[in-house]
């Protein structure tokens, strides 16, 4: 099954199958890439200051230092103008991200990296299915990694993979992968429960009931969470972190990826409706020049009172996303443990205080409901 799935991924991304490597989670793929690039104690890896904590974690697990660069307000990606100042003699890798499904300025970053002889990685965990400069996201860096976690472009419950363009790094990744540990029987079983729930019970109409059930099962440890407590509370590598993918993930991935194009169309269509409405009311919206490359895993919206906005949305049964409620989501305390100083990254810090994500993978009726909700609460939405 793995073989069939990696072949399908390779076909979709127009790469060779030998470049595709499956893992238990996307973060594990990142860890393998960094290791293959020789990242070790004393090295620095540059990342955007608006990401998921598992990204700096993978760097810290290798004894290296994450170095953050603030983001642009318009696209939530690294501000290239601030990149050069972050590069030091210890920098080894620059990581770019396609936040919410949008790649921007990748070529500029790659050009800077080439000049300095640094490696580049694209975090495509939001952007599988999107494009940048005519090619699939992830095509321009030495390597890219992807996630198929519950909320990502397509899902295997949890899961991830890398695609390695640099052939030297690819052979190193192959050698490193020999050290992967197999997921335990219990882990695979609980993932199976989660996937079954999703397949058979999770439809738009019973989303809220399913969410309650999911939360209940999580509390009883009957589903595998996407992050363990220790990944959010500290910077030590969890035991058996370097985990291989299970056959089950490949099986679900194969089916889900086959349906992705339809989902992508739906996301884009929904996003266009949001843009139109927000623009008409002079509220913040995703700029039209970014729309072409945007795969809209999420539609970012800035609001004035986020807690209130979430409360009202839940009452209206609209499922908002919360990426990111922290510059290193979802960590809310002791950010200095991850080497993060909020004062230095005002744009990302502000975004983490007032951004919400509108759902995009929804049918026309559900989209209308969101549009009505937005119109009813324009006073809570930040002006354009
Ligand atoms: C989800 C996510 C990851 C990690 O993916 P997993 O498969 O959950 O390990 C990495 N980076 C970003 C920006 C993410 O949102």
């Amino acid at each position: 099954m793995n073989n069939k799935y990696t072949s399908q991924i390779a076909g979709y991304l127009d790469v060779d199958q030998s470049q595709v490597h499956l893992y238990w989670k996307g973060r594990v793929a990142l860890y393998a890439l960094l290791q293959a690039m020789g990242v070790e104690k004393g090295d620095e890896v540059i990342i955007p200051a608006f990401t998921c904590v598992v990204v700096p974690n993978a760097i810290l697990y290798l004894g290296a230092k994450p170095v953050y660069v603030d983001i642009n307000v318009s696209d939530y990606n690294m501000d290239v103008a601030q990149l050069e100042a972050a590069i030091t003699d210890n920098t080894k890798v620059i990581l770019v991200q396609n936040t919410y499904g949008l790649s921007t300025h990748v070529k500029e970053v790659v050009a800077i990296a080439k000049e300095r002889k640094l490696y580049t990685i694209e975090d495509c965990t939001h952007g599988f299915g999107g494009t940048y400069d005519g090619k699939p996201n992830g095509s321009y860096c030495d390597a890219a990694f992807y996630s198929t976690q519950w909320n990502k472009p397509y899902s295997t419950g949890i899961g991830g993979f890398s695609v390695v363009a640099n052939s030297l790094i690819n052979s190193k990744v192959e050698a490193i992968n020999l050290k992967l540990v197999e997921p335990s029987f219990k882990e695979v079983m609980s993932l199976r429960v989660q996937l079954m729930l999703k397949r058979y019970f999770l439809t738009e109409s019973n989303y809220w009931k399913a969410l309650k059930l999911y939360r209940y099962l999580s509390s009883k440890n009957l589903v595998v969470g996407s992050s363990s407590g220790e990944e959010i509370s500290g910077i030590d590598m969890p035991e058996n972190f370097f985990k291989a993918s299970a056959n089950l993930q490949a099986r679900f991935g194969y089916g889900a990826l086959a349906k992705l194009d339809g989902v992508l169309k739906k996301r884009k269509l929904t996003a266009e409706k949001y843009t139109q409405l927000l623009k008409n009311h002079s509220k913040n919206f995703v700029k039209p020049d970014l729309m072409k490359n945007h795969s809209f895993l999420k539609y970012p919206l800035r609001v004035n009172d986020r807690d209130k906005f979430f409360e009202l949305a839940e009452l209206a049964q609209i499922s908002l996303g919360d990426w990111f409620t922290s510059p290193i989501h979802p960590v809310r305390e002791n950010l200095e443990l991850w080497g993060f100083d909020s004062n230095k990254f005002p744009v990302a810090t502000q975004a983490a205080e007032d951004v919400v994500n509108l759902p995009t993978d929804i049918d026309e009726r559900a989209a209308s409901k969101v549009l009505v909700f937005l119109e009813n609460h324009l006073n809570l939405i930040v002006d354009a």
Side-chain angles (χ1 to χ4, degrees):
M1 193 63 222
N2 279 3
N3 196 36
K4 211 169 138 191
Y5 181 43
T6 51
S7 158
Q8 182 195 29
I9 292 169
Y12 198 98
L13 296 176
D14 197 19
V15 296
D16 192 88
Q17 190 178 0
S18 63
Q19 296 169 252
V20 182
H21 307 279
L22 304 177
Y23 299 89
W24 181 243
K25 294 180 182 179
R27 67 199 72 177
V28 182
L30 170 62
Y31 178 81
L33 290 175
L34 293 168
Q35 213 181 351
M37 290 173 179
V39 171
E40 56 186 16
K41 199 167 183 278
D43 290 336
E44 295 175 0
V45 176
I46 295 180
I47 63 176
F50 193 63
T51 188
C52 179
V53 69
V54 301
V55 172
N57 273 350
I59 298 162
L60 290 159
Y61 295 166
L62 289 163
K65 180 180 161 192
V67 172
Y68 302 90
V69 171
D70 210 352
I71 55 165
N72 301 307
V73 179
S74 57
D75 57 24
Y76 299 89
N77 288 328
M78 186 185 281
D79 178 5
V80 182
Q82 298 185 50
L83 172 58
E84 300 233 27
I87 299 174
T88 73
D89 290 344
N90 296 324
T91 308
K92 206 157 222 172
V93 180
I94 304 173
L95 182 146
V96 290
Q97 179 175 295
N98 35 55
T99 316
Y100 305 128
L102 175 69
S103 271
T104 49
H105 309 296
V106 179
K107 281 192 161 174
E108 288 96 312
V109 173
V110 169
I112 293 170
K114 282 225 165 95
E115 202 183 296
R116 309 284 196 116
K117 297 196 166 39
L118 305 172
Y119 289 118
T120 47
I121 297 177
E122 185 160 3
D123 178 341
C124 294
T125 52
H126 298 189
F128 187 99
T131 58
Y132 172 80
D133 200 29
K135 286 192 187 178
N137 284 340
S139 296
Y140 291 93
C141 292
D142 289 302
F145 72 102
Y146 302 79
S147 171
T148 53
Q149 187 257 357
W150 178 268
N151 293 305
K152 303 298 163 94
Y154 70 89
S155 171
T156 60
I158 55 175
F161 54 90
S162 64
V163 174
V164 190
N166 181 315
S167 54
L168 180 69
I169 299 302
N170 199 39
S171 49
K172 290 197 175 160
V173 165
E174 277 166 9
I176 288 164
N177 286 349
L178 297 174
K179 285 180 272 177
L180 283 164
V181 296
E182 292 299 321
S184 69
F185 178 76
K186 186 174 172 240
E187 283 167 323
V188 176
M189 269 313 285
S190 52
L191 177 58
R192 194 185 303 274
V193 169
Q194 184 175 334
L195 287 165
M196 292 300 207
L197 280 174
K198 187 168 184 241
R199 174 177 276 183
Y200 295 111
F201 300 112
L202 187 56
T203 62
E204 265 163 39
S205 57
N206 69 8
Y207 174 87
W208 295 98
K209 272 188 218 144
L211 185 66
K212 272 198 190 124
L213 178 62
Y214 176 76
R215 283 176 183 161
Y216 172 77
L217 290 170
S218 296
S219 73
K220 301 285 177 218
N221 267 331
L222 286 170
V223 293
V224 270
S226 81
S227 285
S228 63
E230 61 194 317
E231 290 177 281
I232 295 162
S233 62
I235 56 170
D236 294 327
M237 186 158 107
E239 216 183 317
N240 294 328
F241 170 81
F242 196 54
K243 204 167 289 165
S245 71
N247 237 311
L248 175 70
Q249 291 169 305
R251 197 147 49 75
F252 269 80
Y254 190 85
L257 178 48
K259 293 188 203 127
L260 182 65
D261 281 344
V263 175
L264 288 169
K265 272 202 197 109
K266 202 154 69 168
R267 287 192 178 127
K268 204 142 197 163
L269 207 68
T270 310
E272 276 163 7
K273 289 179 187 164
Y274 293 153
T275 291
Q276 201 174 10
L277 178 114
L278 294 164
K279 207 172 153 192
N280 286 346
H281 290 284
S282 305
K283 296 296 175 182
N284 72 99
F285 59 91
V286 175
K287 299 285 172 291
D289 61 320
L290 301 175
M291 300 285 279
K292 186 170 148 275
N293 282 325
H294 214 311
S295 53
F296 285 108
L297 177 61
K298 310 272 182 187
Y299 192 103
L301 181 71
R302 312 295 286 261
V303 297
N304 292 317
D305 182 345
R306 186 167 54 193
D307 290 342
K308 174 120 206 209
F309 200 79
F310 263 107
E311 230 171 78
L312 292 167
E314 184 144 0
L315 279 175
Q317 302 220 321
I318 286 165
S319 51
L320 296 179
D322 68 348
W323 293 350
F324 294 121
T325 54
S326 157
I328 46 171
H329 187 84
V331 172
R332 301 300 285 273
E333 279 165 21
N334 302 328
L335 272 64
E336 65 282 355
L337 257 183
W338 285 268
F340 194 93
D341 176 355
S342 299
N343 298 320
K344 290 190 183 154
F345 312 103
V347 181
T349 300
Q350 182 62 40
E353 273 166 29
D354 65 10
V355 75
V356 299
N357 327 139
L358 304 177
T360 52
D361 181 12
I362 52 178
D363 65 21
E364 224 171 294
R365 222 193 54 190
S368 304
K369 203 163 94 174
V370 180
L371 291 168
V372 169
F373 176 79
L374 294 176
E375 275 201 296
N376 285 341
H377 299 293
L378 287 169
N379 59 320
L380 287 176
I381 302 172
V382 172
D383 290 337

